[in-house]
Amino acid sequence: MSLSQACGIGILLVTLWKFFGELLRKPTIIIDLNGPKKDNWLTGNFSEMFKGGVNYCVELAEKYGGAVRLFGPILTGEVIFLSDPLALYHVVKDQHIFEEPDMFIATNKAIFGEGLIATVGDQHRKQRKQLNPVFSTSNMRELLPTLQPIARKLTSILVAKLPDDGSYKEIDILPWLSRSALDSVCQAVLGYPSNTLEATENDEYPEALRMLGPLISRFIYFRPSVAIIMRNFSPYWRTKLVDWITAPWIPTETMKDVREMRRIVEIMDHGSKKAFAEKKATLETSATSSSSQGKDMMDIMLKANSASSNSERLADTELLGQMNVMVFAGLDTTTSALSRCVYLLAKNPLAQVRLRSEIRDAIRSMSLTQDDFSLFEHDNPLLHLSYDALINLPFLDGIVRETLRLYPPFPHMARNVNKATTLPLQFPVRSSSGADLSAIAIPENTVILISILAANRNRIIWGNDANEWKPERWLSSPGREDGPGMDITLDGVEARSSAPALGVKDGVRYPGIYSNMMTFLGGSRSCIGFKFAEMEMKEILAALILRLHFALPTDPDANGHIKEIQWKLKAFHTPVVKSPAGDGVTPQVPLNIRMVRKEDFAW
């Protein structure tokens, strides 16, 4: 055994000792709530939750109510599966009590640096105050022209792959949507033309960004170990530990993934620092000359930061962290939501035709008066909508909102209880002994799992058809309001008179910042970039649907099996092709695609 191997084994033993030490020191938390029995001694109910997917999570809430006791992984213990609207109001409001778990913060800091999702307390508040103006409506309006060429390019690439006779061709749209999302965030956030849609061999930096999300989802059970390492080892020993556990002499598949993760993070770190340095240099040059520079989020943020007072100004490490977070947050989440939208439109052809007709009519009303179908057959720079027209298309808006309600990119978010408290409930649940509870006592260090999935499908709030995809439900809503969700009617809190009817029942609604749903959470840790995500989704959908028609696969393979797409619940919703037609593992969304015909506009 070599010296490096001996040192590696030694530090691994120290890490295991720390791990089991924390496990033994962790107080036993008993939660007096009804819930299912433990499925596995190591993973609790979590393995079954991920295996059962959406149905398992929704059935939990329907069977046990808005607060359920679950068994988490061995280091977590009992957790509360929470979807009650009043309880969630207090969770998102009282951030000093309900904070992101240490393992979440530590992992994000190790990967992305000191960005919004890796900071807490006063530092997080200062960062959010500096970033809020970046995502204003006026800035989104100015950023839309950077997305329009990308949406057209994506459409043209898919068109070029189709047969000339107008027949269907099966294409896996997932990698193309991923590439377009990467091009969009690189261009809009960094002003960096990654050109991954056209490139046959991508630059290392954008390719690393695209590969990071799937790798992170595979390491969901390793997050507690990262937190332990971050707490107990200095930066020097952390680096040494990573060196040793990623050495080639540990040949397991898990360690191969760890080595790949390290390689990707190092490439991302190098690329982001280079891009940040170039941005700063460009800003300094433009400040001393009459040269103009393109407008992107980093330009806006750097200018605002340089004009801030010393007490409000963010350090370079924080700005770099924000850049990493904005790029990553806008990549896999948007890809997941977009692929789901296109899949649902392929599954619901009438909705697809209705949407296409709406987009065509809106374009004609703005710039074209001819009733000429040939205008929509070819790539035409005139075939796009202004920001206000795009955002306010009623049926497109309904499709995006309904998809994000039923299939939020992040199905669950965790919170750690920093001190013992009591959470009131809007709807009573039962204790472990069967007694009715209108409030639950929560011990310190309890983990709360906010079930965005269950909240967005609550039949009491959304109706008996809450589990059905019905974009037209949003057309009957008298108004939409996507402002902060804190001033809501929950147990005596006065509501605004303009509150929309959809997602509200007897004055009760969820405290989300987006259409009364919890998709982007609420409060000071809500998703700051949801307006950009909504705009990007709508622009790409409008470009695709105008020229292309999508359908589910219908042709059997050599063994007579037709491909059926299944969405697995991981860190994100991951689409795969079910066995026996597929391997049930490889992410993909194969769809039949052809050029649109005149009849595809009539509904």
Side-chain angles (χ1 to χ4, degrees):
M1 181 183 294
S2 67
L3 178 61
S4 63
Q5 290 175 334
C7 292
I9 292 173
I11 200 165
L12 283 173
L13 290 173
V14 171
T15 305
L16 289 172
W17 174 67
K18 293 283 188 180
F19 177 87
F20 285 107
E22 291 203 11
L23 181 62
L24 293 172
R25 289 194 303 271
K26 183 178 176 66
T28 301
I29 295 175
I30 299 177
I31 299 169
D32 187 22
L33 279 172
N34 198 9
K37 296 179 179 179
K38 184 186 293 187
D39 295 310
N40 184 283
W41 70 271
L42 182 62
T43 60
N45 300 115
F46 277 40
S47 57
E48 191 63 29
M49 181 173 68
F50 286 115
K51 180 182 177 182
V54 172
N55 292 337
Y56 180 87
C57 297
V58 173
E59 288 167 6
L60 268 181
E62 291 184 348
K63 180 177 181 180
Y64 297 104
V68 186
R69 184 217 61 229
L70 288 183
F71 295 94
I74 188 169
L75 196 61
T76 305
E78 294 186 10
V79 304
I80 298 176
F81 184 85
L82 194 66
S83 60
D84 181 88
L86 179 56
L88 289 179
Y89 166 75
H90 288 281
V91 169
V92 302
K93 179 176 71 72
D94 300 328
Q95 288 290 335
H96 62 290
I97 299 177
F98 305 97
E99 191 57 86
E100 261 97 349
D102 187 30
M103 62 180 179
F104 178 85
I105 298 296
T107 306
N108 290 336
K109 187 170 292 187
I111 296 173
F112 305 110
E114 296 188 24
L116 266 181
I117 60 174
T119 56
V120 296
D122 291 338
Q123 185 184 16
H124 181 271
R125 283 188 285 274
K126 185 173 80 168
Q127 289 182 359
R128 193 172 181 96
K129 181 180 178 181
Q130 197 72 285
L131 284 174
N132 270 326
V134 174
F135 295 95
S136 66
T137 300
S138 60
N139 283 333
M140 295 302 101
R141 184 177 286 108
E142 292 192 34
L143 283 172
L144 179 60
T146 67
L147 302 181
Q148 288 166 342
I150 296 170
R152 290 202 310 271
K153 186 185 299 181
L154 168 65
T155 306
S156 296
I157 288 173
L158 293 177
V159 166
K161 293 180 176 295
L162 300 179
D164 295 332
D165 61 2
S167 59
Y168 280 112
K169 180 179 180 180
E170 184 182 294
I171 298 175
D172 179 10
I173 65 165
L174 188 61
W176 296 108
L177 292 177
S178 175
R179 290 183 179 207
S180 67
L182 179 56
D183 281 353
S184 296
V185 294
C186 284
Q187 190 70 55
V189 175
L190 306 175
Y192 170 74
S194 59
N195 295 323
T196 55
L197 272 172
E198 293 180 320
T200 54
E201 292 185 7
N202 298 328
D203 292 341
E204 278 193 329
Y205 176 52
E207 187 62 17
L209 292 171
R210 200 159 67 93
M211 294 173 64
L212 183 60
L215 278 172
I216 289 178
S217 68
R218 295 211 293 269
F219 282 86
I220 191 168
Y221 288 115
F222 288 88
R223 281 192 165 186
S225 303
V226 175
I228 292 172
I229 292 169
M230 295 287 284
R231 278 198 304 268
N232 293 286
F233 294 93
S234 67
Y236 172 82
W237 286 109
R238 288 179 215 154
T239 303
K240 284 295 183 184
L241 176 60
V242 173
D243 287 340
W244 285 319
I245 67 174
T246 58
W249 53 272
I250 306 180
T252 65
E253 288 299 319
T254 299
M255 288 302 105
K256 288 179 182 178
D257 284 344
V258 172
R259 285 193 287 274
E260 180 65 5
M261 177 70 131
R262 183 186 190 184
R263 186 185 73 84
I264 292 299
V265 170
E266 287 176 347
I267 293 172
M268 190 189 76
D269 183 60
H270 174 75
S272 61
K273 286 178 178 176
K274 180 182 177 182
F276 179 72
E278 291 173 353
K279 271 292 170 189
K280 282 201 69 177
T282 303
L283 180 65
E284 291 167 0
T285 301
S286 65
T288 57
S289 67
S290 58
S291 63
S292 61
Q293 60 178 18
K295 185 162 187 177
D296 53 63
M297 294 185 194
M298 282 303 296
D299 284 331
I300 299 168
M301 185 170 65
L302 288 171
K303 285 180 179 179
N305 192 62
S306 63
S308 301
S309 63
N310 290 334
S311 61
E312 296 294 326
R313 192 171 299 158
L314 302 182
D316 281 359
T317 54
E318 294 177 280
L319 292 170
L320 180 62
Q322 310 314 329
M323 187 183 80
N324 289 335
V325 169
M326 286 192 292
V327 170
F328 175 75
L331 182 53
D332 289 284
T333 53
T334 305
T335 301
S336 172
L338 266 174
S339 58
R340 179 77 77 161
C341 277
V342 179
Y343 164 78
L344 289 169
L345 288 169
K347 190 177 180 181
N348 296 272
L350 184 60
Q352 184 179 168
V353 172
R354 183 175 183 177
L355 174 61
R356 185 177 296 115
S357 176
E358 179 182 73
I359 297 166
R360 177 202 59 187
D361 293 346
I363 290 175
R364 283 177 172 167
S365 68
M366 289 188 62
S367 57
L368 301 170
T369 57
Q370 305 98 316
D371 188 16
D372 187 355
F373 171 71
S374 64
L375 291 171
F376 302 95
E377 288 185 296
H378 308 286
D379 184 25
N380 187 337
L382 296 176
L383 298 183
H384 64 78
L385 297 166
S386 69
Y387 175 84
D388 294 306
L390 177 73
I391 292 299
N392 291 300
L393 283 179
F395 198 59
L396 175 60
D397 186 72
I399 285 170
V400 171
R401 289 176 191 265
E402 184 72 346
T403 303
L404 291 173
R405 180 185 72 84
L406 277 177
Y407 308 103
F410 287 107
H412 304 97
M413 295 294 289
R415 291 292 184 268
N416 190 71
V417 181
N418 293 331
K419 69 175 183 178
T421 188
T422 300
L423 269 182
L425 298 172
Q426 188 70 46
F427 306 108
V429 297
R430 293 189 181 277
S431 69
S432 54
S433 61
D436 286 340
L437 298 175
S438 58
I440 48 176
I442 305 179
E444 184 179 357
N445 292 323
T446 299
V447 173
I448 289 177
L449 194 64
I450 299 174
S451 180
I452 299 171
L453 264 177
N456 286 356
R457 292 166 176 255
N458 189 331
R459 294 178 188 268
I460 299 175
I461 302 296
W462 296 98
N464 291 329
D465 60 354
N467 289 313
E468 299 177 36
W469 188 75
K470 289 186 174 181
E472 60 272 12
R473 78 172 76 236
W474 295 93
L475 301 180
S476 61
S477 180
R480 298 187 305 272
E481 190 169 16
D482 292 337
M486 292 298 95
D487 44 348
I488 61 176
T489 298
L490 285 171
D491 197 27
V493 181
E494 185 175 351
R496 292 168 289 203
S497 59
S498 60
L502 195 60
V504 181
K505 180 69 173 179
D506 298 330
V508 177
R509 71 181 192 181
Y510 280 98
I513 58 169
Y514 183 71
S515 299
N516 301 326
M517 64 180 87
M518 293 300 295
T519 299
F520 297 111
L521 292 180
S524 61
R525 298 202 76 96
S526 60
C527 175
I528 198 170
F530 76 93
K531 288 183 180 179
F532 177 78
E534 180 187 36
M535 177 179 70
E536 181 186 351
M537 288 179 64
K538 290 183 175 181
E539 176 60 30
I540 291 178
L541 283 174
L544 290 175
I545 296 301
L546 189 64
R547 297 184 62 198
L548 299 170
H549 185 83
F550 298 88
L552 297 180
T554 54
D555 296 331
D557 60 19
N559 297 315
H561 303 301
I562 296 175
K563 292 180 180 178
E564 182 182 351
I565 300 169
Q566 175 188 19
W567 298 78
K568 290 192 172 181
L569 187 62
K570 297 183 179 179
F572 309 102
H573 295 276
T574 303
V576 300
V577 173
K578 288 178 65 174
S579 177
D583 60 10
V585 176
T586 305
Q588 55 184 308
V589 184
L591 295 176
N592 284 345
I593 307 177
R594 61 166 170 79
M595 290 291 295
V596 295
R597 303 165 184 162
K598 286 186 178 181
E599 59 266 26
D600 295 329
F601 288 89
W603 66 280

